[in-house]
Each structure stands twice: as structure tokens, then as C-alpha cells.
């Protein structure tokens, strides 16, 4: 596998609504909600509008989300559709741009008259996109955007279709550390993290919790989102020799860190990365399959789960793409399950009824049961996953584990 392409400076954008966003919101606020004007058109397909990063910095997970949405559409349509109507996905490319995603959802609502919406990838894009939906009083179910700031705005049409938000992701790993005999716990830890609104809160939460357990912090730095070279960070880590390296890694930065640590010959006893290892074969191709052994990460979904439609989703994904599904595809499928369940429960496309139903009920998805607080924040918790023998196993919590074995310490690089 060749080295990943450099990141665009566009990822440096803060999680705020720019003047362009505000202007677009003002435009989007005009007029009647399209769902109210199209609900009676039973002879036409249900149009679901989606903007995804199919190019740019988030192209890899954005493309996986597209696959997840499309598999859901095909499965639903094969069974007669939703409310007896076929589903049509109108997917456009936001090019990983905050300004473009606002323009996209504005057009999907006001010009394309989409009946329903599904979210995009990442907190950076879902933050402004969900504001467009909220202003137009349309339900916005997003598959990937768990930054705390997403849920501090008092929105009522927003729903995050994963088990928990970013600050809760670290809990399951910390609980595993707590379960170890004191002699086997890490004594020191390093916390490099990308300046990302999802990854950074995970690492901050983990550091706080582990320090409370007596784990000494020997390194904690935030690197820019467009960082492509990790030799300097890796060199510092190698010199300080932490027992645990916990990295807030999105994808390419996780691969780059492993490569740099390997070049320096430093292999920590424990390695935790946020979402990078969840990218299935792309991660193992990037770091080398043997170097995945023992790597921890938290995950929303497990391929082996016996949750609703999970086996069918996995089979359909493998048939369509000749590969194991990535977590981002499963998350998108689950977001669509949430929307479908609510629409069918209320018996029509009424945004307020859908919103109220979701606030009051639990939805069974391939991620497991999902329910939400008033602000759209989910009430559940994540799984602790680990690469073992070239594949991913769930190792925590114990009652949901697919493997009774936990690789600890992590083997040296190969």
C-alpha cells in the first residue's frame, strides 16, 4: 500500500458556523417543509437527501457511509420499500467542505424537496449540516458525529445513531485497565491526538480517568489535522518509553504513527487508537497485518453481532464489495434503520411526529438498541475491540465479548 495522500488544509476548520453557513441557514429557513408537501404522493418514491464527503479529506469514510446507505436502500426496496413506497437516495458530494455541505443540504431541502434527510460523516460536517436541518424543522439522523459541541445547541431534530458520544468512548478501555491486577496496569502513558472534534475528547477523557488511577502522563500533545509526518512525535515517544500510547487517530494519522514507531523500533506495551483501526483491511494494509496484533480501539459495531439485520448486512456488503464491512458502513446502515423505524411507526412522513417518536422510544439496529436524550445524544456505551490473529474481536465489556483472550502486552512490530 502506498503512503496515504497529504491532508488538505480544509480540515483545520473549527467546529463553528461560518458567515457562509449563517447566510445559507437564512435562505434555507424560507418556505414550507418539503416533507409536508410530498407526504401524500404515494405513487412516487420517498426521496432521502444525503450529502457525503466522497472526495477530499473524508473520502474514505464518506465512501463507506455511502455503501452502508445503499445496501440499506437495496434491502428495503427488495422488501417493498417504506410505507409501500420505494426509496430513492439522492446523494451528493460535499468534498469534505463545511461550506459545501451547507449548500448541499440547503438545496436538498429547498430545491430538490427531499422527503427525509440522513447525515454526513464527521462532527466537522454534521455540525453545520444539522443546523440547516434544525432551522427547517427536519429530522436529521447522523451516523458519525459524536463531538460534545454537537449536542450543546438545544436542537430537537438531531439524533446521533451510535451508542455513545466521544467523551464516553474511552470508558470501556478504562474499565478494562481497572480490571487488571495492579502490577499489570500501565504505569506511564502518552497521548498524541489529532486536532479533531471527535478524536480529541476521547483522548482527553481517557487521560483524565487514567491519571485518576495513578497512570502518569509522560506526553500529551495535539497535532494539526493535516499532519502527514510523524517522525518527530514518534521520536519523542520512543525517548520517553510510555507503557501505553493512546492516540486520537482518524485514519491516515493512525497508520502514519504506527509506521514511524516501527521505523524507530519502539513498540509500546499497549497501543490504543480511536477510529483508525476500525477501517478494516485498509488499516491492516496500511500498517501491515502482523502489526495490527494487540491494537485496541473502541467500536460501535461488531460483524459477529446477532443484532437485527446484521447478518444480512454483512452478507450483502461482502457480495457487493468482496470485503469485510467497515464500521462507517455499518453506522450509516444503522442511521437509516433508525429513520425507517420511526417513519413506519408514525405511519407517514411527518417530521414532528418522527422527532417525538424517536425521543420517546428505543430503536433496534444492527449496532444494538439505540435511544436518545432530549438533545439527540445517545444513552448507550461502546465496545472495546482488539485486533487478534488478523481479525477484530470484541474484548469488552465481558458479557458482549467475542474472544475470552486479550492480547497484553502488545507484541513487537514485525
Amino acid at each position: 500500500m502506498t503512503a496515504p495522500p497529504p491532508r488538505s488544509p480544509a480540515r483545520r476548520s473549527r467546529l463553528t458556523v461560518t458567515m457562509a453557513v449563517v447566510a445559507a441557514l437564512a435562505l434555507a429557513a424560507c418556505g414550507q417543509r418539503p416533507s409536508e408537501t410530498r407526504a401524500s404522493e404515494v405513487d412516487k418514491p420517498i426521496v432521502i437527501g444525503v450529502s457525503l464527503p466522497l472526495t477530499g479529506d473524508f473520502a474514505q469514510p464518506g465512501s463507506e457511509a455511502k455503501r452502508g446507505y445503499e445496501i440499506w436502500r437495496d434491502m428495503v426496496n427488495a422488501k417493498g420499500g417504506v410505507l409501500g413506497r420505494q426509496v430513492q437516495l439522492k446523494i451528493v458530494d460535499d468534498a469534505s467542505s463545511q461550506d459545501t455541505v451547507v449548500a448541499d443540504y440547503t438545496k436538498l431541502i429547498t430545491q430538490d424537496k427531499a422527503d427525509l434527510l440522513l447525515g454526513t460523516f464527521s462532527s466537522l460536517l454534521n455540525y453545520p449540516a444539522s443546523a440547516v436541518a434544525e432551522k427547517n424543522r427536519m429530522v436529521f439522523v447522523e451516523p458519525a458525529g459524536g463531538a460534545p459541541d454537537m449536542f450543546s445547541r438545544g436542537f430537537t431534530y438531531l439524533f446521533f445513531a451510535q451508542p455513545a458520544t466521544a467523551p464516553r468512548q474511552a470508558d470501556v478501555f478504562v474499565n478494562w485497565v481497572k480490571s487488571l491486577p495492579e502490577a499489570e496496569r500501565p504505569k506511564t502513558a502518552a497521548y498524541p491526538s489529532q486536532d479533531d472534534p471527535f478524536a480529541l475528547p476521547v483522548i482527553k477523557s481517557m487521560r483524565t480517568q487514567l491519571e485518576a488511577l495513578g497512570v502518569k502522563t509522560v506526553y500529551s500533545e495535539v497535532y494539526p489535522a493535516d499532519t502527514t509526518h510523524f517522525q518527530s512525535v514518534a521520536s519523542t515517544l520512543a525517548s520517553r518509553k510510555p507503557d501505553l500510547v493512546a492516540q486520537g487517530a482518524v485514519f491516515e494519522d493512525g497508520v502514519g504513527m504506527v509506521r514511524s514507531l516501527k521505523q524507530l523500533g519502539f513498540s509500546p506495551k499497549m497501543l490504543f487508537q480511536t477510529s483508525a483501526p476500525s477501517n478494516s483491511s485498509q488499516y491492516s494494509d496500511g500498517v501491515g497485518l502482523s502489526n495490527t496484533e494487540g491494537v485496541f480501539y473502541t467500536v460501535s459495531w461488531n460483524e459477529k453481532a446477532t443484532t437485527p439485520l446484521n447478518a444480512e448486512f454483512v452478507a450483502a456488503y461482502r457480495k457487493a464489495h468482496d470485503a469485510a464491512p467497515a464500521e462507517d458502513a455499518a453506522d450509516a446502515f444503522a442511521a437509516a434503520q433508525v429513520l425507517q423505524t420511526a417513519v413506519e411507526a408514525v405511519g407517514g412522513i411527518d417530521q414532528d411526529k418522527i422527532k417525538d417518536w424517536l425521543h420517546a422510544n428505543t430503536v433496534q439496529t444492527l449496532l444494538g438498541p439505540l435511544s436518545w436524550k432530549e438533545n439527540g445524544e445517545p444513552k448507550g456505551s461502546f465496545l472495546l475491540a482488539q485486533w487478534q490473529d488478523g481479525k477484530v474481536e470484541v474484548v469488552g465489556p465481558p458479557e458482549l465479548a467475542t474472544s475470552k483472550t486479550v492480547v497484553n502486552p502488545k507484541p513487537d512490530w514485525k
Side-chain angles (χ1 to χ4, degrees):
M1 180 176 178
T2 57
R7 292 180 181 272
S8 162
R11 284 290 305 281
R12 299 174 186 169
S13 300
R14 294 184 176 180
L15 196 58
T16 55
V17 181
T18 63
M19 292 303 295
V21 173
V22 174
L25 291 180
L27 174 63
C30 301
Q32 188 180 30
R33 285 182 292 186
S35 59
E36 295 172 341
T37 64
R38 293 175 58 95
S40 64
E41 299 175 5
V42 294
D43 57 329
K44 295 184 179 180
I46 293 175
V47 178
I48 302 180
V50 188
S51 177
L52 287 171
L54 304 179
T55 56
D57 296 327
F58 295 130
Q60 189 276 331
S63 297
E64 287 294 342
K66 180 174 182 285
R67 290 178 174 184
Y69 284 147
E70 289 175 342
I71 289 172
W72 169 81
R73 175 203 60 197
D74 294 345
M75 290 174 61
V76 165
N77 284 342
K79 296 177 181 179
V82 175
L83 302 177
R85 298 166 62 183
Q86 293 288 286
V87 172
Q88 176 186 332
L89 292 177
K90 185 170 183 58
I91 299 176
V92 294
D93 179 15
D94 57 45
S96 304
S97 163
Q98 287 181 305
D99 290 339
T100 303
V101 80
V102 167
D104 283 350
Y105 277 104
T106 300
K107 183 176 182 294
L108 287 167
I109 295 169
T110 62
Q111 296 183 37
D112 299 328
K113 306 297 183 183
D115 298 293
L116 299 164
L117 301 176
L118 283 167
T120 184
F121 175 83
S122 86
S123 296
L124 281 168
L125 298 177
N126 275 311
Y127 188 86
S130 60
V132 176
E134 188 76 14
K135 194 72 174 179
N136 285 273
R137 296 180 293 129
M138 290 191 70
V139 171
F140 191 82
V141 183
E142 46 126 353
D149 286 348
M150 290 288 298
F151 311 100
S152 63
R153 298 171 291 171
F155 285 6
T156 60
Y157 291 86
L158 169 66
F159 298 89
F160 179 37
Q162 285 196 35
T165 54
R168 294 285 312 281
Q169 265 213 9
D171 295 358
V172 67
F173 180 76
V174 173
N175 289 339
W176 173 75
V177 172
K178 287 180 180 178
S179 74
L180 296 174
E182 191 167 346
E184 296 179 18
R185 296 178 183 178
K187 303 297 187 295
T188 57
Y191 303 98
S193 179
Q194 182 182 131
D195 188 8
D196 177 84
F198 186 83
L200 190 54
V202 178
I203 298 305
K204 286 183 175 180
S205 173
M206 182 181 294
R207 176 183 174 179
T208 298
Q209 294 184 68
L210 289 181
E211 285 181 343
L213 288 179
V215 180
K216 181 181 178 182
T217 298
V218 297
Y219 178 90
S220 180
E221 294 292 340
V222 178
Y223 52 85
D226 57 354
T227 301
T228 57
H229 300 289
F230 292 89
Q231 290 87 345
S232 177
V233 175
S235 179
T236 302
L237 296 180
S239 68
R240 298 183 186 181
K241 296 182 171 55
D243 295 331
L244 164 68
V245 172
Q247 182 190 11
V250 176
F251 177 57
E252 292 99 331
D253 53 330
V255 172
M257 184 67 76
V258 170
R259 289 175 172 174
S260 295
L261 291 173
K262 181 184 175 184
Q263 288 174 355
L264 292 169
F266 173 64
S267 182
K269 295 177 182 177
M270 297 179 186
L271 176 60
F272 175 96
Q273 296 177 311
T274 50
S275 56
S278 69
N279 286 280
S280 191
S281 59
Q282 293 176 313
Y283 179 77
S284 58
D285 288 346
V287 304
L289 188 60
S290 61
N291 292 319
T292 62
E293 187 70 9
V295 176
F296 288 103
Y297 65 102
T298 47
V299 68
S300 61
W301 166 82
N302 173 32
E303 183 177 343
K304 300 177 183 178
T306 57
T307 47
L309 295 183
N310 192 46
E312 294 88 339
F313 163 73
V314 171
Y317 188 102
R318 287 185 177 276
K319 181 178 180 180
H321 303 292
D322 193 28
E327 180 187 9
D328 293 313
D331 291 337
F333 188 99
Q337 280 183 295
V338 168
L339 188 60
Q340 175 192 357
T341 301
V343 168
E344 292 177 340
V346 304
I349 301 176
D350 183 306
Q351 302 293 328
D352 289 324
K353 289 183 179 179
I354 294 169
K355 165 183 68 74
D356 293 342
W357 189 90
L358 286 174
H359 280 302
N361 291 275
T362 298
V363 179
Q364 300 298 326
T365 74
L366 54 73
L367 306 183
L370 297 179
S371 59
W372 298 269
K373 300 178 183 178
E374 291 183 0
N375 60 359
E377 179 181 345
K379 299 178 181 178
S381 58
F382 273 76
L383 304 172
L384 179 61
Q386 186 181 53
W387 278 85
Q388 298 180 2
D389 296 322
K391 59 184 183 298
V392 172
E393 300 285 357
V394 173
V395 295
E399 65 271 17
L400 298 176
T402 60
S403 173
K404 301 299 183 183
T405 301
V406 179
V407 177
N408 182 41
K410 185 187 73 64
D412 290 338
W413 310 120
K414 302 294 185 181

